[in-house]
Amino acid sequence: MNGAYHRSAREETADKKAMRVAQVACDQPDLMEEIRSQLGDETFALVCLFAAPCADFKKLIEAASNCFGGSDVLACTTAGELGADGYEEGQVICVGFPARYFTSVTYSLDLLNLAEDQQIIDSLIQQRMALAQSAPDRQHEFALLLVDGLSMSEENLTTTLASGLGPMPLFGGSAGDGVNFRQTWLSHNGEILENAAVLALVRSSCPVKVFSHDNLAPTEMRMVVTAADPEARTVQEINAEPAAAEYARLLGKDPNQLDPFTFAEHPVVVRLGDSHHVRAIQRVNERGELVFFSAINEGMVLTLAEHRDIVENLQDGLERLSAEQKPDLILGCDCILRRIAADQRQKTREVSALLSQHHVIGFSTYGEQFGALHVNQTLTGVAIYPPNDNEVAECP
C-alpha cells in the first residue's frame, strides 16, 4: 500500500515537470529498460542520450531505436557526464522532451560535405519556417548541436548554421572520448555516425534561455602566433620561438612537463569584439607544436587568462538563471577542461553539488558551440522553465 502511494506521489511530481531525465550505469545489463522505466509513460518529441565511452554504443543505439519508436533520438559519447550528483563517470544520461510541450525537427550533417554551405543555409531557413508553421503556439525556440569532437570542423559548421538559423539561438557540445582523444561517436535515429554532426531545431511552450558561462579573466601577459596551421589546429611558433617551449617559458615551466592539467590551469584567450573567448590547448605533439581544441590563425594575439573562483562564479551564474523563476532543468555542455581545473583545485565536490542543486544535466565536452562561435572551457546550455499553460497543446 505504501509503495503504491509513493509511486503515485512521484508520478504526480513528474507531471508538473516539463522534462524527463533518466540515468543508468554503463554496466547495467538491462540499461535501456531501466531508462524507459525512469522516464515513465510519456510520448517524446525528442530524446537525447549522452553515453560514457565505456558504454557499448552500438548496442545502446539499437536498444534506443526499439524503445523510442516514433521519437527523434540523438546521441553522442562524452568526456564525462553531468548527472544527478553533478560530475559523474561511467553513466548513460537520457533527456526526454515530452511531445505535449515540445515540437522538433532533426537531421544529420556530413562534415565532409560542408563545401555546400549555401545548401545547408537554405535548408535550415526552410526547416525553421516549417517548424514555426507546424507549432505556431509554441513560441520559445532553440537549436541543439552535437558534433564530432575530433572532426576539427566546428568553426565552419557553427558559422554556417548561424547564417541559416537567424534569431533561433544555438548551443551545443563536441562529443568526447574521456581523456583518450581517439574516437568519438554520434547517432541520429539509429544511424551511427563519424565525422558528422546532428542538429535539433526545437519549439516549445516552455520558456527557455540559452547561455554561456566561464570563470576566466584575461591577464596582461600576451603572445603572438607567428606560425600556425589553422586546419590542423596546430601552432608551430609563438613569438617566433617553438610554440610549446615558448608557452612553457612564459609560465616558468619545463616544456617536457606540459600536460592537460597545465593547459586547464593556464588557458589562453583571444579578443573578439568586446569579449574574450578561450582557445584551449589539447596537447603537445611530437614536434613540439601546440594542438588546440579550436582553430588558431597566424598573427593572432593570445592572452593568458587566470581563473576566478570556480565555485563562486558558477553559483553566481546559475543563480542568475533562476533569478525570476527556477528552471525545470538546465541542459548543459561543460568543457572537460573545467572538470580538470575543478579537480586540480579540489573543488569537484562543491562544483558537483551546485550542478546537482540547479538540475544541470548533460555531458563534458571537447568544446562548446554558442551562436556562431566554437568556444572552450565554458558551461554552455539552455535553461528550460515550466511551461506556459496557454501554450500547452497536443503535438501536431
Side-chain angles (χ1 to χ4, degrees), residues 293-355:
F293 281 104
S294 304
I296 297 288
N297 296 312
E298 191 170 310
M300 187 175 282
V301 177
L302 304 178
T303 302
L304 279 174
E306 61 185 5
H307 291 258
R308 302 186 185 101
D309 185 278
I310 191 170
V311 175
E312 292 181 3
N313 199 259
L314 177 62
Q315 182 172 4
D316 178 66
L318 293 175
E319 286 180 349
R320 276 189 274 114
L321 290 172
S322 300
E324 297 181 5
Q325 187 178 28
K326 189 172 182 179
D328 270 353
L329 176 141
I330 297 173
L331 181 56
C333 303
D334 189 67
C335 186
I336 180 61
L337 294 176
R338 283 174 57 86
R339 182 183 288 230
I340 292 173
D343 184 65
Q344 282 286 90
R345 286 175 163 72
Q346 299 183 337
K347 300 280 190 177
T348 299
R349 181 176 296 179
E350 293 171 86
V351 170
S352 289
L354 280 173
L355 295 172

Side-chain angles (χ1 to χ4, degrees), residues 37-306:
S37 174
Q38 289 183 28
L39 292 177
D41 185 15
E42 184 73 67
T43 300
F44 296 103
L46 175 67
V47 174
C48 294
L49 291 162
F50 308 115
C54 60
D56 185 331
F57 194 72
K58 181 178 180 181
K59 184 177 179 181
L60 175 69
I61 296 307
E62 289 176 351
S65 298
N66 295 328
C67 188
F68 297 109
S71 303
D72 281 324
V73 181
L74 307 184
C76 72
T77 54
T78 76
E81 299 77 60
L82 307 180
D85 294 324
Y87 284 144
E88 305 208 41
E89 294 183 355
Q91 304 291 304
V92 174
I93 307 292
C94 182
V95 179
F97 296 76
R100 54 179 161 160
Y101 301 129
F102 297 90
T103 304
S104 67
V105 59
T106 66
Y107 49 98
S108 58
L109 298 161
D110 184 348
L111 300 181
L112 292 174
N113 294 327
L114 281 178
E116 303 298 332
D117 286 356
Q118 193 57 51
Q119 281 188 349
I120 294 173
I121 293 169
D122 293 344
S123 175
L124 274 177
I125 293 172
Q126 294 169 7
Q127 295 279 9
R128 184 164 52 85
M129 292 177 64
L131 182 63
Q133 291 172 358
S134 69
D137 296 329
R138 296 180 172 182
Q139 299 178 9
H140 311 286
E141 61 181 10
F142 63 89
L144 166 62
L145 177 68
L146 303 176
V147 57
D148 185 338
L150 300 177
S151 66
M152 297 190 291
S153 301
E154 292 99 330
E155 287 87 4
N156 185 35
L157 177 62
T158 52
T159 300
T160 301
L161 295 180
S163 297
L165 288 172
M168 179 180 279
L170 169 75
F171 82 97
S174 300
D177 177 31
V179 293
N180 300 313
F181 302 101
R182 290 193 298 262
Q183 177 70 66
T184 65
W185 297 102
L186 296 148
S187 177
H188 175 239
N189 290 344
E191 181 183 5
I192 295 178
L193 306 167
E194 295 180 76
N195 196 42
V198 292
L199 180 69
L201 309 185
V202 181
R203 285 180 69 90
S204 178
S205 55
C206 302
V208 300
K209 183 175 182 179
V210 172
F211 68 93
S212 185
H213 169 85
D214 69 66
N215 66 308
L216 301 172
T219 68
E220 296 299 318
M221 187 174 291
R222 294 178 175 84
M223 61 195 85
V224 179
V225 176
T226 48
D229 181 351
E231 290 188 4
R233 294 180 174 174
T234 60
V235 172
Q236 293 98 15
E237 291 183 2
I238 292 174
N239 300 336
E241 299 291 339
E246 178 66 0
Y247 172 76
R249 184 190 70 79
L250 292 170
L251 299 181
K253 294 185 176 294
D254 183 342
N256 295 315
Q257 295 180 344
L258 297 178
D259 59 20
F261 299 102
T262 308
F263 305 140
E265 185 68 19
H266 303 281
V268 295
V269 298
V270 297
R271 187 179 181 88
L272 298 174
D274 295 329
S275 58
H276 287 82
H277 298 275
V278 178
R279 289 294 182 265
I281 304 169
Q282 181 188 121
R283 59 186 173 88
V284 179
N285 67 17
E286 63 279 1
R287 294 182 295 277
E289 301 166 342
L290 293 176
V291 181
F292 282 71
F293 281 104
S294 304
I296 297 288
N297 296 312
E298 191 170 310
M300 187 175 282
V301 177
L302 304 178
T303 302
L304 279 174
E306 61 185 5

